[in-house]
Structure formats: structure tokens, C-alpha cells
Amino acid sequence: MNLSEPFTTSRLHFRLLNQSDTDAVYKQFSDPDMCRYFSEPPCDYNEAVEIIEHYAQPEGKDHHRYGMFDRETGSFIGTCGYHYWDAERKQVEIGYDIWKDYWGQGYMSEALLPPPLSFSR
């Protein structure tokens, strides 16, 4: 899989973040309700730009993050990705953040679980 290619689930569209997402990323990572769950303090606008730049070229890195968007409305829902990829140990740390209006609606289960298998006889 090419990490730069967008993909979808039934309700979500995943793609690389770009500079047009700066306002949404800033809103997400500067909101006090959201930041109480992050290991980083609230960001300022310039730091939001840096977050996007940090994840711009994912190929070959040990970290990556996709923007998650509602497939019907295009609204920014949050981000999802990984940190600390260790190919030798075959382990990775998964991280995500969902805007508070979308909490409790099953978006991360949808994002992280593979689609159900179907078998035919």
C-alpha cells in the first residue's frame, strides 16, 4: 500500500493532511477539551502548520498520520496514524484524535478494524 494514497471506509475518507487543513488542525490541537487527552500542550497556529508538514511525506518514516473526513459532508473528524514503527519487532503505536462532536459514534472502531470477511461456498 502506498501510504500517500487516500482510502475510504463506509463513513470515512482518509488522506494526507495539507495546508488547506491548517484551520481544522489548529482547532483540533488547541482546544482545551481535546488537549486534556494529548501528551502535548495546546498548539498555536504555527505549530498546526508544523504538524501538517511533519506528516507530509510518510514513505519510509517510522510515523504517519492521516486526516479523517466524513465521506458525505467532507467535514474534518480528526486524525489517525502510527508512531514508533519497529519493523524488527513488528510493532507500532497507534494514535488518533476525534473532534469532540464525533465522540462515541464508532468512528475509531471503523477506522481500525478490518472489514468483515465474507465466505462463499
Side-chain angles (χ1 to χ4, degrees), residues 1-9 12-16 64 66-69 71 80 111:
M1 173 181 176
N2 178 343
L3 295 175
S4 298
E5 289 182 22
F7 62 95
T8 60
T9 63
L12 297 169
H13 175 72
F14 295 82
R15 66 166 172 77
L16 296 180
H64 181 47
Y66 291 102
M68 295 187 304
F69 301 85
R71 280 185 67 179
C80 175

Side-chain angles (χ1 to χ4, degrees), residues 12-62:
L12 297 169
H13 175 72
F14 295 82
R15 66 166 172 77
L16 296 180
L17 294 167
N18 60 54
Q19 293 307 318
S20 70
D21 301 315
T22 303
D23 288 344
V25 170
Y26 172 68
K27 177 182 170 185
Q28 185 89 343
F29 291 100
S30 66
D31 182 271
D33 288 336
M34 297 294 298
C35 291
R36 67 184 171 152
Y37 298 106
F38 301 153
S39 60
E40 300 290 326
C43 76
D44 62 29
Y45 199 82
N46 289 334
E47 290 168 323
V49 170
E50 291 172 7
I51 289 169
I52 292 169
E53 290 172 354
H54 181 72
Y55 294 106
Q57 305 284 330
E59 302 299 334
K61 293 184 179 175
D62 70 347

Side-chain angles (χ1 to χ4, degrees), residues 60-79:
K61 293 184 179 175
D62 70 347
H63 59 273
H64 181 47
R65 209 146 190 91
Y66 291 102
M68 295 187 304
F69 301 85
D70 183 284
R71 280 185 67 179
E72 288 185 21
T73 66
S75 298
F76 179 81
I77 291 177
T79 71

